[in-house]
Amino acid sequence: MGDVHIAAGAGFSNDRRELGEIAAQSLTLFEGHRYLIFECLAERTLALAQGEDGQRRQVERAIGYLEACINTCILNNIRIISNFGGSAPKQVAEAIAGFLKQHNLRRRIGYVLGDELPVKDTEHDGRAISRNAYIGAHGIVEALDAGADIVVTGRVADPSLVVGAVAFEHELRWIDWNRLAQATLAGHLIECGTQVCGGYFADTGAKQVPGLTRLGAPVASVARGHDRLKISKPLGGGLLTTATVTEQLLYEIHDPARYLTPDVVMDISGVAMQQTGRNEVTLTGCVGHARPDWLKTLTCVDEGWIGEAEISYMGDTSLDRAQMARTILTQRLENIAPSAAPHFDIIGAMYDEANNAGHPRDVRLRMAVASNDREQVRALLDEVEALYLNGPAGGGGIRLNISARTATVAGTVRQNEAVSRGHLLEDTP
């Protein structure tokens, strides 16, 4: 019934693992209901999470985050909510249960389903990899209500990780629009982890940020029955000020009066904020309106392959030789693959100001090509490697890389076509 405090232990899929422990330690300084979230899904992350390799990476990521903080969370009764379930929330939840059992740790594991949508063979000429809806917090509340200490989700909307905790502890109704909006604002401000604490804010001059080598984690504190929201950074480096909060408040907001989420339409156009302490900002004035009838969807589409190749040249004529190599490659590729349309960059890396001011003495030529044919990409990259003996003098440090190329296509479905449902693992103690 009291305050709910939520800390962010990750703002993207490969964030610093130590941040989870910093976040958990920060929560121990607060009285009330305490939650730790990990926000790990970007727009294309689900495409990379498909198949056995993708699922394995999801499991490794989830356990990697938990290893750093699980003891602190258990000792202090801190619940965990995360979308690191990716494309397989139940399977990741089962892997976490196995990890905990192996270490003689007892936590009840829940998971949320409902975001995965069927992919039709005709979609995008049969090249669609995955299709997911951005579902809301309903399933998280169900899992918590079933007794889960750790809730694993897939593609829920980022702020909904926090909405689920607040809605459960404050027993919100799904028509308490202002309270849902306040919880959504809390989620929006901490979903990017250390970004609100000076990370991604730092710049030379007026935006100096101390302690960037070990940034602290943000904590959102939501009081029951009040429209005040506090964001703080109790531990670690960085800073949390009205300036950092303002940047995060407006981050990825297309319409401040109508920020659409699965749980509520949030209106931040009247939000006021005040620096109420060192590394603490209080916000008021957030308003909510009825949730939209539609959910955003994201379809990941196979766009073939992209290849990158790089080669370096050093010396007084390094730029001239890199340009010569580019000309050779352009002419070669016009004959081998006229439709390849390669992209070139020449990057100057070092300067000898004493002898040749402003003139690069070390440059790197980069070529990128895309194709649906992986073998064609490989053949085109081989042309860069052939420059060792068939191009300008002194080329070296060649790097070749081929990776899958994925596009994302946004869409919508009605709310009732992707229903968020929470579950508890049957063998959870």
Side-chain angles (χ1 to χ4, degrees), residues 303-367:
E303 288 289 322
W305 305 89
I306 185 168
E308 298 173 273
E310 298 178 359
I311 184 171
S312 291
Y313 295 93
M314 294 186 66
D316 291 341
T317 62
S318 59
L319 179 59
D320 297 332
R321 282 177 285 136
Q323 292 171 333
M324 184 189 304
R326 180 181 59 188
T327 300
I328 293 170
L329 291 171
T330 300
Q331 294 175 353
R332 292 279 300 176
L333 268 58
E334 284 177 354
N335 295 325
I336 298 171
S339 61
H343 173 83
F344 292 97
D345 295 300
I346 297 180
I347 305 164
M350 296 174 62
Y351 298 85
D352 185 347
E353 295 184 1
N355 300 315
N356 204 349
H359 190 80
R361 291 181 49 81
D362 184 345
V363 301
R364 193 151 178 87
L365 173 66
R366 172 183 176 271
M367 181 186 80

Short mmCIF file of all heavy atoms in Angstrom, two decimals, residues 303-367:
data_model
loop_
_atom_site.label_atom_id
_atom_site.label_comp_id
_atom_site.label_asym_id
_atom_site.label_seq_id
_atom_site.Cartn_x
_atom_site.Cartn_y
_atom_site.Cartn_z
N GLU A 303 16.23 -8.88 -45.12
CA GLU A 303 16.66 -8.06 -46.25
C GLU A 303 17.97 -8.57 -46.84
O GLU A 303 18.71 -7.82 -47.47
CB GLU A 303 16.82 -6.60 -45.80
CG GLU A 303 15.50 -5.89 -45.54
CD GLU A 303 14.74 -5.60 -46.83
OE1 GLU A 303 15.37 -5.27 -47.84
OE2 GLU A 303 13.50 -5.75 -46.81
N GLY A 304 18.26 -9.85 -46.62
CA GLY A 304 19.45 -10.43 -47.22
C GLY A 304 20.68 -10.22 -46.36
O GLY A 304 20.65 -10.43 -45.15
N TRP A 305 21.76 -9.78 -47.02
CA TRP A 305 23.05 -9.70 -46.35
C TRP A 305 23.74 -8.37 -46.60
O TRP A 305 23.54 -7.75 -47.65
CB TRP A 305 23.96 -10.84 -46.84
CG TRP A 305 23.34 -12.18 -46.67
CD1 TRP A 305 22.55 -12.84 -47.57
CD2 TRP A 305 23.40 -13.00 -45.51
NE1 TRP A 305 22.12 -14.03 -47.04
CE2 TRP A 305 22.63 -14.15 -45.77
CE3 TRP A 305 24.04 -12.88 -44.27
CZ2 TRP A 305 22.48 -15.18 -44.84
CZ3 TRP A 305 23.89 -13.89 -43.35
CH2 TRP A 305 23.13 -15.02 -43.65
N ILE A 306 24.52 -7.97 -45.63
CA ILE A 306 25.35 -6.78 -45.81
C ILE A 306 26.80 -7.17 -45.52
O ILE A 306 27.08 -7.91 -44.57
CB ILE A 306 24.91 -5.62 -44.90
CG1 ILE A 306 25.74 -4.36 -45.21
CG2 ILE A 306 25.00 -5.98 -43.43
CD1 ILE A 306 25.18 -3.10 -44.59
N GLY A 307 27.69 -6.73 -46.39
CA GLY A 307 29.11 -7.02 -46.22
C GLY A 307 29.90 -5.75 -46.04
O GLY A 307 29.60 -4.73 -46.66
N GLU A 308 30.90 -5.81 -45.18
CA GLU A 308 31.78 -4.67 -44.93
C GLU A 308 33.23 -5.13 -45.06
O GLU A 308 33.58 -6.21 -44.59
CB GLU A 308 31.57 -4.11 -43.53
CG GLU A 308 30.18 -3.58 -43.27
CD GLU A 308 30.03 -3.19 -41.80
OE1 GLU A 308 29.68 -4.07 -41.00
OE2 GLU A 308 30.28 -2.01 -41.48
N ALA A 309 34.03 -4.31 -45.70
CA ALA A 309 35.45 -4.60 -45.84
C ALA A 309 36.24 -3.31 -45.65
O ALA A 309 35.82 -2.25 -46.11
CB ALA A 309 35.74 -5.20 -47.21
N GLU A 310 37.37 -3.42 -44.97
CA GLU A 310 38.19 -2.25 -44.69
C GLU A 310 39.66 -2.57 -44.97
O GLU A 310 40.10 -3.71 -44.80
CB GLU A 310 38.05 -1.82 -43.23
CG GLU A 310 36.64 -1.40 -42.85
CD GLU A 310 36.53 -1.02 -41.39
OE1 GLU A 310 37.56 -1.09 -40.69
OE2 GLU A 310 35.43 -0.66 -40.95
N ILE A 311 40.40 -1.54 -45.40
CA ILE A 311 41.83 -1.67 -45.63
C ILE A 311 42.47 -0.32 -45.29
O ILE A 311 41.88 0.74 -45.52
CB ILE A 311 42.15 -2.07 -47.09
CG1 ILE A 311 43.64 -2.29 -47.28
CG2 ILE A 311 41.58 -1.06 -48.09
CD1 ILE A 311 44.00 -2.91 -48.62
N SER A 312 43.67 -0.36 -44.72
CA SER A 312 44.35 0.86 -44.28
C SER A 312 45.56 1.17 -45.15
O SER A 312 46.20 0.26 -45.69
CB SER A 312 44.81 0.71 -42.82
OG SER A 312 43.71 0.69 -41.95
N TYR A 313 45.86 2.46 -45.24
CA TYR A 313 47.07 2.95 -45.92
C TYR A 313 47.73 3.99 -45.03
O TYR A 313 47.05 4.81 -44.40
CB TYR A 313 46.73 3.57 -47.28
CG TYR A 313 46.17 2.56 -48.26
CD1 TYR A 313 44.79 2.38 -48.38
CD2 TYR A 313 47.01 1.77 -49.04
CE1 TYR A 313 44.26 1.44 -49.26
CE2 TYR A 313 46.51 0.83 -49.92
CZ TYR A 313 45.14 0.67 -50.01
OH TYR A 313 44.64 -0.27 -50.88
N MET A 314 49.07 3.96 -44.97
CA MET A 314 49.82 4.90 -44.15
C MET A 314 50.84 5.66 -44.99
O MET A 314 51.20 5.22 -46.07
CB MET A 314 50.55 4.16 -43.01
CG MET A 314 49.64 3.51 -41.99
SD MET A 314 50.57 2.81 -40.61
CE MET A 314 51.24 4.31 -39.87
N GLY A 315 51.27 6.80 -44.47
CA GLY A 315 52.30 7.58 -45.13
C GLY A 315 51.78 8.87 -45.73
O GLY A 315 50.59 9.18 -45.70
N ASP A 316 52.72 9.63 -46.35
CA ASP A 316 52.36 10.93 -46.90
C ASP A 316 51.29 10.84 -47.98
O ASP A 316 50.48 11.75 -48.14
CB ASP A 316 53.60 11.61 -47.47
CG ASP A 316 54.58 12.03 -46.37
OD1 ASP A 316 54.13 12.13 -45.21
OD2 ASP A 316 55.76 12.25 -46.69
N THR A 317 51.31 9.75 -48.76
CA THR A 317 50.35 9.63 -49.87
C THR A 317 49.21 8.68 -49.53
O THR A 317 48.55 8.13 -50.42
CB THR A 317 51.07 9.12 -51.13
OG1 THR A 317 51.61 7.82 -50.87
CG2 THR A 317 52.17 10.08 -51.56
N SER A 318 48.92 8.48 -48.23
CA SER A 318 47.91 7.51 -47.83
C SER A 318 46.53 7.85 -48.38
O SER A 318 45.81 6.96 -48.86
CB SER A 318 47.85 7.41 -46.30
OG SER A 318 47.55 8.68 -45.72
N LEU A 319 46.16 9.12 -48.36
CA LEU A 319 44.85 9.50 -48.88
C LEU A 319 44.77 9.26 -50.38
O LEU A 319 43.76 8.73 -50.88
CB LEU A 319 44.57 10.97 -48.56
CG LEU A 319 43.24 11.53 -49.08
CD1 LEU A 319 42.06 10.73 -48.51
CD2 LEU A 319 43.10 13.01 -48.72
N ASP A 320 45.83 9.58 -51.10
CA ASP A 320 45.84 9.36 -52.55
C ASP A 320 45.71 7.88 -52.88
O ASP A 320 44.98 7.49 -53.80
CB ASP A 320 47.14 9.91 -53.16
CG ASP A 320 47.26 11.41 -52.99
OD1 ASP A 320 46.21 12.08 -52.92
OD2 ASP A 320 48.39 11.91 -52.91
N ARG A 321 46.39 7.03 -52.11
CA ARG A 321 46.33 5.60 -52.38
C ARG A 321 44.97 5.01 -52.00
O ARG A 321 44.47 4.11 -52.67
CB ARG A 321 47.46 4.88 -51.65
CG ARG A 321 48.81 5.06 -52.36
CD ARG A 321 49.95 4.41 -51.60
NE ARG A 321 50.31 5.21 -50.44
CZ ARG A 321 50.55 4.72 -49.23
NH1 ARG A 321 50.47 3.41 -49.02
NH2 ARG A 321 50.91 5.51 -48.23
N ALA A 322 44.35 5.53 -50.96
CA ALA A 322 43.00 5.07 -50.61
C ALA A 322 42.01 5.44 -51.70
O ALA A 322 41.12 4.64 -52.06
CB ALA A 322 42.58 5.67 -49.27
N GLN A 323 42.16 6.64 -52.25
CA GLN A 323 41.28 7.04 -53.36
C GLN A 323 41.53 6.19 -54.60
O GLN A 323 40.59 5.84 -55.34
CB GLN A 323 41.49 8.53 -53.66
CG GLN A 323 41.00 9.44 -52.55
CD GLN A 323 41.41 10.89 -52.74
OE1 GLN A 323 42.43 11.18 -53.39
NE2 GLN A 323 40.64 11.80 -52.17
N MET A 324 42.79 5.84 -54.84
CA MET A 324 43.12 4.96 -55.96
C MET A 324 42.47 3.59 -55.76
O MET A 324 41.89 3.01 -56.69
CB MET A 324 44.65 4.82 -56.09
CG MET A 324 45.09 4.00 -57.30
SD MET A 324 46.88 3.65 -57.25
CE MET A 324 47.57 5.32 -57.13
N ALA A 325 42.55 3.07 -54.55
CA ALA A 325 41.92 1.77 -54.26
C ALA A 325 40.41 1.83 -54.46
O ALA A 325 39.80 0.89 -54.99
CB ALA A 325 42.26 1.36 -52.83
N ARG A 326 39.81 2.93 -54.06
CA ARG A 326 38.37 3.09 -54.26
C ARG A 326 38.02 3.07 -55.74
O ARG A 326 37.03 2.45 -56.15
CB ARG A 326 37.89 4.40 -53.62
CG ARG A 326 36.39 4.66 -53.78
CD ARG A 326 36.01 5.98 -53.13
NE ARG A 326 36.73 7.09 -53.73
CZ ARG A 326 36.69 8.34 -53.27
NH1 ARG A 326 35.98 8.61 -52.17
NH2 ARG A 326 37.36 9.30 -53.86
N THR A 327 38.82 3.74 -56.55
CA THR A 327 38.56 3.74 -57.99
C THR A 327 38.67 2.33 -58.58
O THR A 327 37.84 1.92 -59.39
CB THR A 327 39.56 4.68 -58.70
OG1 THR A 327 39.40 6.01 -58.19
CG2 THR A 327 39.33 4.68 -60.20
N ILE A 328 39.67 1.60 -58.16
CA ILE A 328 39.84 0.21 -58.64
C ILE A 328 38.62 -0.62 -58.27
O ILE A 328 38.07 -1.35 -59.11
CB ILE A 328 41.12 -0.41 -58.03
CG1 ILE A 328 42.36 0.30 -58.56
CG2 ILE A 328 41.19 -1.91 -58.32
CD1 ILE A 328 43.64 -0.09 -57.84
N LEU A 329 38.18 -0.52 -57.03
CA LEU A 329 37.03 -1.30 -56.58
C LEU A 329 35.77 -0.92 -57.31
O LEU A 329 34.96 -1.78 -57.71
CB LEU A 329 36.84 -1.13 -55.07
CG LEU A 329 37.91 -1.77 -54.18
CD1 LEU A 329 37.72 -1.33 -52.73
CD2 LEU A 329 37.87 -3.29 -54.29
N THR A 330 35.57 0.38 -57.52
CA THR A 330 34.37 0.84 -58.23
C THR A 330 34.32 0.25 -59.63
O THR A 330 33.27 -0.26 -60.07
CB THR A 330 34.35 2.38 -58.30
OG1 THR A 330 34.34 2.92 -56.97
CG2 THR A 330 33.13 2.87 -59.05
N GLN A 331 35.43 0.31 -60.34
CA GLN A 331 35.46 -0.22 -61.71
C GLN A 331 35.33 -1.73 -61.73
O GLN A 331 34.63 -2.29 -62.57
CB GLN A 331 36.76 0.23 -62.39
CG GLN A 331 36.84 1.74 -62.60
CD GLN A 331 38.17 2.18 -63.15
OE1 GLN A 331 39.12 1.39 -63.27
NE2 GLN A 331 38.28 3.47 -63.49
N ARG A 332 35.96 -2.42 -60.79
CA ARG A 332 35.85 -3.88 -60.72
C ARG A 332 34.41 -4.31 -60.45
O ARG A 332 33.88 -5.21 -61.10
CB ARG A 332 36.77 -4.43 -59.63
CG ARG A 332 38.24 -4.28 -59.90
CD ARG A 332 38.77 -5.35 -60.84
NE ARG A 332 38.60 -6.71 -60.30
CZ ARG A 332 38.93 -7.80 -60.99
NH1 ARG A 332 39.42 -7.69 -62.22
NH2 ARG A 332 38.76 -8.99 -60.45
N LEU A 333 33.76 -3.65 -59.50
CA LEU A 333 32.41 -4.06 -59.14
C LEU A 333 31.39 -3.72 -60.23
O LEU A 333 30.38 -4.40 -60.37
CB LEU A 333 32.00 -3.42 -57.81
CG LEU A 333 32.29 -4.29 -56.57
CD1 LEU A 333 33.77 -4.63 -56.45
CD2 LEU A 333 31.80 -3.60 -55.30
N GLU A 334 31.67 -2.68 -61.01
CA GLU A 334 30.78 -2.37 -62.13
C GLU A 334 30.75 -3.50 -63.15
O GLU A 334 29.72 -3.75 -63.78
CB GLU A 334 31.22 -1.07 -62.80
CG GLU A 334 30.85 0.19 -62.01
CD GLU A 334 31.38 1.44 -62.67
OE1 GLU A 334 32.13 1.31 -63.67
OE2 GLU A 334 31.07 2.55 -62.19
N ASN A 335 31.86 -4.18 -63.29
CA ASN A 335 31.93 -5.32 -64.22
C ASN A 335 31.40 -6.61 -63.59
O ASN A 335 30.72 -7.40 -64.25
CB ASN A 335 33.37 -5.54 -64.69
CG ASN A 335 33.89 -4.39 -65.51
OD1 ASN A 335 33.13 -3.77 -66.26
ND2 ASN A 335 35.17 -4.08 -65.38
N ILE A 336 31.69 -6.83 -62.32
CA ILE A 336 31.31 -8.07 -61.66
C ILE A 336 29.84 -8.08 -61.27
O ILE A 336 29.12 -9.08 -61.47
CB ILE A 336 32.19 -8.30 -60.41
CG1 ILE A 336 33.65 -8.43 -60.81
CG2 ILE A 336 31.73 -9.53 -59.63
CD1 ILE A 336 34.60 -8.43 -59.62
N ALA A 337 29.37 -6.98 -60.69
CA ALA A 337 27.98 -6.90 -60.20
C ALA A 337 27.48 -5.48 -60.40
O ALA A 337 27.55 -4.65 -59.49
CB ALA A 337 27.93 -7.29 -58.73
N PRO A 338 26.99 -5.17 -61.59
CA PRO A 338 26.59 -3.80 -61.93
C PRO A 338 25.54 -3.21 -60.98
O PRO A 338 25.48 -1.98 -60.81
CB PRO A 338 26.02 -3.93 -63.35
CG PRO A 338 26.65 -5.17 -63.89
CD PRO A 338 26.82 -6.09 -62.74
N SER A 339 24.72 -4.05 -60.36
CA SER A 339 23.66 -3.53 -59.49
C SER A 339 24.07 -3.48 -58.02
O SER A 339 23.24 -3.20 -57.14
CB SER A 339 22.41 -4.41 -59.62
OG SER A 339 22.69 -5.75 -59.21
N ALA A 340 25.33 -3.73 -57.72
CA ALA A 340 25.76 -3.84 -56.32
C ALA A 340 25.66 -2.52 -55.56
O ALA A 340 25.38 -2.50 -54.38
CB ALA A 340 27.19 -4.38 -56.25
N ALA A 341 25.91 -1.41 -56.21
CA ALA A 341 25.86 -0.08 -55.59
C ALA A 341 26.65 -0.01 -54.28
O ALA A 341 26.10 0.22 -53.21
CB ALA A 341 24.41 0.33 -55.34
N PRO A 342 27.97 -0.22 -54.33
CA PRO A 342 28.77 -0.18 -53.10
C PRO A 342 28.81 1.21 -52.49
O PRO A 342 28.70 2.23 -53.19
CB PRO A 342 30.15 -0.62 -53.57
CG PRO A 342 30.20 -0.21 -55.01
CD PRO A 342 28.80 -0.42 -55.53
N HIS A 343 28.97 1.25 -51.20
CA HIS A 343 29.12 2.52 -50.48
C HIS A 343 30.55 2.58 -49.94
O HIS A 343 31.05 1.60 -49.38
CB HIS A 343 28.13 2.61 -49.32
CG HIS A 343 28.35 3.81 -48.45
ND1 HIS A 343 27.84 5.05 -48.76
CD2 HIS A 343 29.03 3.96 -47.28
CE1 HIS A 343 28.19 5.91 -47.82
NE2 HIS A 343 28.91 5.27 -46.91
N PHE A 344 31.19 3.73 -50.09
CA PHE A 344 32.58 3.89 -49.65
C PHE A 344 32.71 5.01 -48.62
O PHE A 344 32.03 6.03 -48.71
CB PHE A 344 33.50 4.21 -50.84
CG PHE A 344 33.66 3.09 -51.82
CD1 PHE A 344 32.90 3.04 -52.98
CD2 PHE A 344 34.58 2.06 -51.59
CE1 PHE A 344 33.03 2.01 -53.89
CE2 PHE A 344 34.73 1.04 -52.50
CZ PHE A 344 33.95 1.00 -53.65
N ASP A 345 33.60 4.79 -47.65
CA ASP A 345 34.02 5.83 -46.71
C ASP A 345 35.54 5.83 -46.66
O ASP A 345 36.17 4.76 -46.67
CB ASP A 345 33.49 5.54 -45.30
CG ASP A 345 31.99 5.59 -45.21
OD1 ASP A 345 31.41 6.64 -45.52
OD2 ASP A 345 31.39 4.56 -44.83
N ILE A 346 36.12 7.02 -46.60
CA ILE A 346 37.55 7.15 -46.34
C ILE A 346 37.69 7.94 -45.05
O ILE A 346 37.25 9.09 -44.95
CB ILE A 346 38.28 7.85 -47.49
CG1 ILE A 346 38.18 7.01 -48.77
CG2 ILE A 346 39.74 8.08 -47.12
CD1 ILE A 346 38.87 7.62 -49.98
N ILE A 347 38.30 7.30 -44.05
CA ILE A 347 38.36 7.87 -42.71
C ILE A 347 39.81 8.17 -42.37
O ILE A 347 40.67 7.28 -42.40
CB ILE A 347 37.78 6.90 -41.67
CG1 ILE A 347 36.36 6.50 -42.08
CG2 ILE A 347 37.80 7.50 -40.27
CD1 ILE A 347 35.84 5.29 -41.35
N GLY A 348 40.11 9.43 -42.05
CA GLY A 348 41.45 9.81 -41.62
C GLY A 348 41.61 9.54 -40.14
O GLY A 348 40.79 9.98 -39.33
N ALA A 349 42.66 8.81 -39.78
CA ALA A 349 42.80 8.38 -38.39
C ALA A 349 43.90 9.11 -37.64
O ALA A 349 43.81 9.30 -36.44
CB ALA A 349 43.08 6.87 -38.35
N MET A 350 45.00 9.52 -38.31
CA MET A 350 46.12 10.13 -37.61
C MET A 350 46.63 11.34 -38.40
O MET A 350 46.54 11.39 -39.62
CB MET A 350 47.27 9.12 -37.43
CG MET A 350 46.93 7.92 -36.56
SD MET A 350 48.25 6.70 -36.55
CE MET A 350 49.58 7.66 -35.83
N TYR A 351 47.19 12.30 -37.66
CA TYR A 351 47.71 13.50 -38.30
C TYR A 351 49.11 13.80 -37.75
O TYR A 351 49.37 13.59 -36.57
CB TYR A 351 46.79 14.70 -38.04
CG TYR A 351 45.40 14.52 -38.60
CD1 TYR A 351 44.43 13.85 -37.88
CD2 TYR A 351 45.08 14.98 -39.87
CE1 TYR A 351 43.16 13.66 -38.40
CE2 TYR A 351 43.81 14.80 -40.40
CZ TYR A 351 42.86 14.14 -39.66
OH TYR A 351 41.62 13.96 -40.19
N ASP A 352 49.97 14.28 -38.61
CA ASP A 352 51.32 14.69 -38.20
C ASP A 352 51.35 16.21 -38.28
O ASP A 352 51.71 16.80 -39.31
CB ASP A 352 52.36 14.06 -39.13
CG ASP A 352 53.78 14.36 -38.66
OD1 ASP A 352 53.94 15.23 -37.79
OD2 ASP A 352 54.70 13.70 -39.16
N GLU A 353 50.97 16.86 -37.20
CA GLU A 353 50.82 18.31 -37.22
C GLU A 353 52.17 19.02 -37.40
O GLU A 353 52.25 20.10 -37.96
CB GLU A 353 50.13 18.78 -35.94
CG GLU A 353 48.70 18.26 -35.81
CD GLU A 353 48.01 18.81 -34.58
OE1 GLU A 353 48.66 19.61 -33.85
OE2 GLU A 353 46.85 18.46 -34.35
N ALA A 354 53.23 18.40 -36.91
CA ALA A 354 54.54 19.07 -36.98
C ALA A 354 55.04 19.18 -38.41
O ALA A 354 55.61 20.19 -38.80
CB ALA A 354 55.55 18.31 -36.12
N ASN A 355 54.82 18.10 -39.20
CA ASN A 355 55.42 18.07 -40.54
C ASN A 355 54.42 18.30 -41.67
O ASN A 355 54.80 18.72 -42.74
CB ASN A 355 56.11 16.72 -40.75
CG ASN A 355 57.21 16.49 -39.73
OD1 ASN A 355 58.01 17.39 -39.47
ND2 ASN A 355 57.24 15.31 -39.15
N ASN A 356 53.17 18.01 -41.41
CA ASN A 356 52.20 18.08 -42.51
C ASN A 356 50.83 18.40 -41.93
O ASN A 356 49.94 17.56 -41.91
CB ASN A 356 52.18 16.75 -43.25
CG ASN A 356 51.70 16.91 -44.69
OD1 ASN A 356 51.20 17.96 -45.07
ND2 ASN A 356 51.84 15.86 -45.46
N ALA A 357 50.69 19.61 -41.43
CA ALA A 357 49.49 19.98 -40.69
C ALA A 357 48.22 19.71 -41.49
O ALA A 357 48.09 20.11 -42.64
CB ALA A 357 49.56 21.46 -40.31
N GLY A 358 47.29 19.02 -40.83
CA GLY A 358 45.98 18.80 -41.44
C GLY A 358 45.92 17.72 -42.48
O GLY A 358 44.86 17.44 -43.02
N HIS A 359 47.05 17.11 -42.82
CA HIS A 359 47.06 16.08 -43.86
C HIS A 359 47.12 14.70 -43.21
O HIS A 359 48.03 14.42 -42.45
CB HIS A 359 48.25 16.27 -44.80
CG HIS A 359 48.16 15.40 -46.03
ND1 HIS A 359 47.39 15.72 -47.11
CD2 HIS A 359 48.73 14.19 -46.32
CE1 HIS A 359 47.50 14.79 -48.03
NE2 HIS A 359 48.30 13.83 -47.56
N PRO A 360 46.17 13.82 -43.50
CA PRO A 360 46.17 12.51 -42.85
C PRO A 360 47.36 11.67 -43.30
O PRO A 360 47.72 11.64 -44.47
CB PRO A 360 44.84 11.89 -43.32
CG PRO A 360 44.52 12.58 -44.59
CD PRO A 360 45.03 13.98 -44.44
N ARG A 361 47.95 10.96 -42.34
CA ARG A 361 49.03 10.04 -42.65
C ARG A 361 48.62 8.59 -42.40
O ARG A 361 49.43 7.69 -42.53
CB ARG A 361 50.26 10.39 -41.81
CG ARG A 361 50.92 11.71 -42.22
CD ARG A 361 52.16 11.99 -41.37
NE ARG A 361 53.06 10.84 -41.28
CZ ARG A 361 53.95 10.51 -42.21
NH1 ARG A 361 54.05 11.25 -43.32
NH2 ARG A 361 54.75 9.47 -42.04
N ASP A 362 47.37 8.40 -42.02
CA ASP A 362 46.85 7.05 -41.79
C ASP A 362 45.36 7.10 -42.10
O ASP A 362 44.59 7.76 -41.39
CB ASP A 362 47.09 6.63 -40.35
CG ASP A 362 46.66 5.19 -40.08
OD1 ASP A 362 45.93 4.63 -40.90
OD2 ASP A 362 47.07 4.64 -39.05
N VAL A 363 44.94 6.46 -43.18
CA VAL A 363 43.52 6.48 -43.53
C VAL A 363 43.02 5.05 -43.72
O VAL A 363 43.80 4.12 -43.99
CB VAL A 363 43.25 7.29 -44.82
CG1 VAL A 363 43.71 8.72 -44.67
CG2 VAL A 363 43.89 6.64 -46.03
N ARG A 364 41.73 4.91 -43.57
CA ARG A 364 41.10 3.60 -43.72
C ARG A 364 39.97 3.70 -44.73
O ARG A 364 39.09 4.55 -44.60
CB ARG A 364 40.58 3.09 -42.38
CG ARG A 364 40.21 1.62 -42.37
CD ARG A 364 40.38 1.03 -40.98
NE ARG A 364 40.00 -0.37 -40.88
CZ ARG A 364 40.81 -1.38 -41.15
NH1 ARG A 364 42.06 -1.14 -41.55
NH2 ARG A 364 40.42 -2.63 -41.03
N LEU A 365 40.03 2.83 -45.72
CA LEU A 365 38.99 2.77 -46.75
C LEU A 365 37.99 1.68 -46.35
O LEU A 365 38.37 0.55 -46.05
CB LEU A 365 39.60 2.42 -48.12
CG LEU A 365 38.61 2.15 -49.26
CD1 LEU A 365 37.82 3.40 -49.62
CD2 LEU A 365 39.34 1.60 -50.48
N ARG A 366 36.74 2.04 -46.32
CA ARG A 366 35.68 1.09 -45.98
C ARG A 366 34.72 0.98 -47.15
O ARG A 366 34.30 1.97 -47.73
CB ARG A 366 34.91 1.54 -44.74
CG ARG A 366 33.65 0.71 -44.43
CD ARG A 366 32.90 1.27 -43.25
NE ARG A 366 31.67 0.55 -43.01
CZ ARG A 366 30.49 0.83 -43.55
NH1 ARG A 366 30.38 1.85 -44.41
NH2 ARG A 366 29.41 0.12 -43.26
N MET A 367 34.37 -0.26 -47.49
CA MET A 367 33.37 -0.52 -48.52
C MET A 367 32.25 -1.36 -47.91
O MET A 367 32.51 -2.32 -47.18
CB MET A 367 33.98 -1.28 -49.70
CG MET A 367 32.98 -1.55 -50.83
SD MET A 367 33.66 -2.59 -52.16
CE MET A 367 33.50 -4.22 -51.42
#
